[in-house]
Amino acid sequence: MSDFTVSARTAGRPDRELEPRERECYDLLDRLGVAYERVEFNRQPETTAEAEELDAAIGVPGMKNLVFQNRNKSRTLFFVLPRDRRFDAKAFAKAREITRLSMVNAAALEELLHTHTGAVGVMELMYDMEGKLELFLDRELLGWEYLRFPPNADGALLRVRTADFLEKILPAVGHGYTALEEDDACFGLPEAEFQFRPLRRSRQALSREEAAAILSRHTHGVLALAGDGGYPYAVPMSYAYRDGKLYFHSARAGHKIDSLTRSAKASFCVVDADGVVPEEYTTYFRSAIAFGKARVLTDPAEMRKGLELLGERYRPGHPVELAAEIEKEFAAVAVIEMEIEHLSGKEAIELVNKREKK
């Protein structure tokens, strides 16, 4: 049973003693005459069900906040999007001739916005006194009645009318914004329908269930992405598999992250058997290959779920130690989720013959 709790939505600031940054948020809203409602919760959501419970309590769909810098850190870009919107930073940069965008690290978040990973919200723009950040809002958000954001503190969310945010809050903190349209390059274009090819030697094909079983019983494989210069980038990876999805952890910057920014398409191969038979000049092999779309998770609840699956896969039965390790590394780690669209498996004909004889 989940221990996640969220309060009913109430108006006005809380009665408890406030931390300085939280108090500054409420002071600004009150000074501007902006009405707001809030909910409080005991921890960040860790499952989809908990995230949906929080969405229902605050009465605003999920949103995500992404902060990027270009290569020489002369520009910092703050994007506010619906939670389910996929964002292609490389396409955005290319269309605007910006040299390489990378997500800011924990130190930069603290310096620029006085916040940390998992708690970024638009009210932190009040600390951007020098106007270093460029704000981009998804056009869809502008049609919502309300927007949501943390009050410069963990464990709470506020909602305000979108009109108040645009017409009162942003001018008060000295910020304009640029609207991202539906057809912007950063959101990608619809892809032509694609059919995965069937295995040519169908007699050697494994069923989807057999291929999934291979993913379930192993702990490492090779992830293939669209690498630099048009070269495929295939990298050995530890992983966890659950409900048609693969989870990996990574540094927040590097070849993998750049490749995923370039293209979400990925494949992942796991070798289940590789028995060398010298006298037959062959191997008795069995393997599975998954194809799908991969993404770097930005929602804290989804990130924690992925890290918990990985931790439980490699050291089961130690929830307290795992929670502490996740907390320690959370700000520095990236979590990649690959949703499998096509899964195939194949084994050597000799293994097929042996099985059929039984």
Side-chain angles (χ1 to χ4, degrees):
M1 183 175 177
S2 172
D3 64 345
F4 179 71
T5 59
V6 57
S7 71
R9 193 168 66 240
T10 57
R13 68 173 69 198
D15 294 331
R16 57 178 168 77
E17 184 176 350
L18 303 175
E19 294 295 326
R21 292 196 315 112
E22 187 177 10
R23 185 174 60 252
E24 289 165 357
C25 171
Y26 289 119
D27 287 347
L28 176 61
L29 295 175
D30 291 342
R31 187 167 65 250
L32 297 174
V34 172
Y36 54 89
E37 295 176 294
R38 63 181 170 83
V39 298
E40 297 190 353
F41 43 95
N42 63 324
R43 59 169 172 77
Q44 290 295 331
E46 297 176 356
T47 66
T48 300
E50 290 175 356
E52 290 174 349
E53 183 180 354
L54 182 56
D55 293 348
I58 193 63
V60 184
M63 295 164 56
K64 61 183 176 184
N65 304 273
L66 307 175
V67 186
F68 290 85
Q69 287 183 323
N70 63 343
R71 175 173 289 172
N72 65 8
K73 297 181 171 51
S74 63
R75 297 180 66 181
T76 303
L77 289 70
F78 191 149
F79 299 91
V80 185
L81 314 165
R83 182 167 57 208
D84 295 332
R85 177 80 80 183
R86 182 178 178 273
F87 178 76
D88 188 332
K90 183 173 182 180
F92 179 92
K94 183 178 180 181
R96 292 160 175 82
E97 299 182 346
I98 301 173
T99 305
R100 186 177 175 178
L101 286 178
S102 300
M103 293 188 73
V104 299
N105 58 28
L109 279 178
E110 177 61 36
E111 178 185 353
L112 292 165
L113 296 172
H114 301 180
T115 190
H116 56 272
T117 304
V120 179
V122 290
M123 280 304 290
E124 271 95 355
L125 288 171
M126 65 190 292
Y127 298 111
D128 180 34
M129 304 305 294
E130 299 178 10
K132 293 181 178 179
L133 276 70
E134 303 170 47
L135 178 63
F136 294 83
L137 301 177
D138 190 305
R139 174 68 72 180
E140 180 183 330
L141 299 178
L142 303 184
W144 292 7
E145 183 177 2
Y146 295 96
L147 297 179
R148 62 190 253 183
F149 48 80
N152 298 349
D154 295 324
L157 274 179
L158 305 184
R159 78 169 192 176
V160 304
R161 291 192 177 277
T162 304
D164 284 340
F165 175 74
L166 299 176
E167 298 168 12
K168 295 181 180 179
I169 297 174
L170 285 184
V173 298
H175 266 278
Y177 68 92
T178 299
L180 293 173
E181 306 296 341
E182 182 71 28
D183 60 354
D184 194 285
C186 65
F187 298 139
L189 298 174
E191 297 180 357
E193 185 175 348
F194 174 76
Q195 294 293 326
F196 290 95
R197 67 174 67 193
L199 197 64
R200 185 169 58 87
R201 297 183 176 180
S202 58
R203 189 163 164 242
Q204 294 176 243
L206 301 177
S207 68
R208 183 180 177 91
E209 291 73 20
E210 291 171 319
I214 292 175
L215 297 182
S216 294
R217 63 176 168 258
H218 288 279
T219 57
H220 70 278
V222 177
L223 179 66
L225 305 169
D228 296 344
Y231 289 95
Y233 177 52
V235 56
M237 296 287 288
S238 301
Y239 73 96
Y241 171 69
R242 177 73 62 86
D243 298 331
K245 295 179 180 179
L246 294 161
Y247 296 89
F248 314 91
H249 76 280
S250 165
R252 294 175 63 85
H255 201 163
K256 286 190 294 295
I257 303 302
D258 291 345
S259 297
L260 287 171
T261 300
R262 181 177 298 114
S263 174
K265 293 179 179 177
S267 67
F268 186 68
C269 176
V270 175
V271 176
D272 186 52
D274 185 29
V276 178
V277 186
E279 63 273 18
E280 296 181 24
Y281 297 95
T282 190
T283 62
Y284 290 2
F285 68 88
R286 185 184 301 106
S287 61
I289 304 179
F291 299 85
K293 300 282 183 22
R295 64 189 180 109
V296 180
L297 299 178
T298 57
D299 180 77
E302 293 181 321
M303 292 174 64
R304 289 180 187 277
K305 173 188 173 183
L307 291 172
E308 287 171 356
L309 289 173
L310 285 161
E312 184 63 23
R313 185 75 181 95
Y314 290 90
R315 194 187 182 204
H318 292 79
V320 175
E321 293 88 341
L322 175 57
E325 184 68 15
I326 289 174
E327 201 61 38
K328 182 177 74 173
E329 301 294 337
F330 194 75
V333 72
V335 182
I336 298 168
E337 176 195 86
M338 176 178 165
E339 185 163 5
I340 297 174
E341 298 175 302
H342 179 70
L343 179 60
S344 67
K346 182 180 178 181
E347 64 181 352
I349 189 64
E350 294 83 0
L351 295 179
V352 176
N353 292 335
K354 185 182 295 186
R355 187 166 56 182
E356 290 178 347
K357 286 180 182 179
K358 290 183 178 179

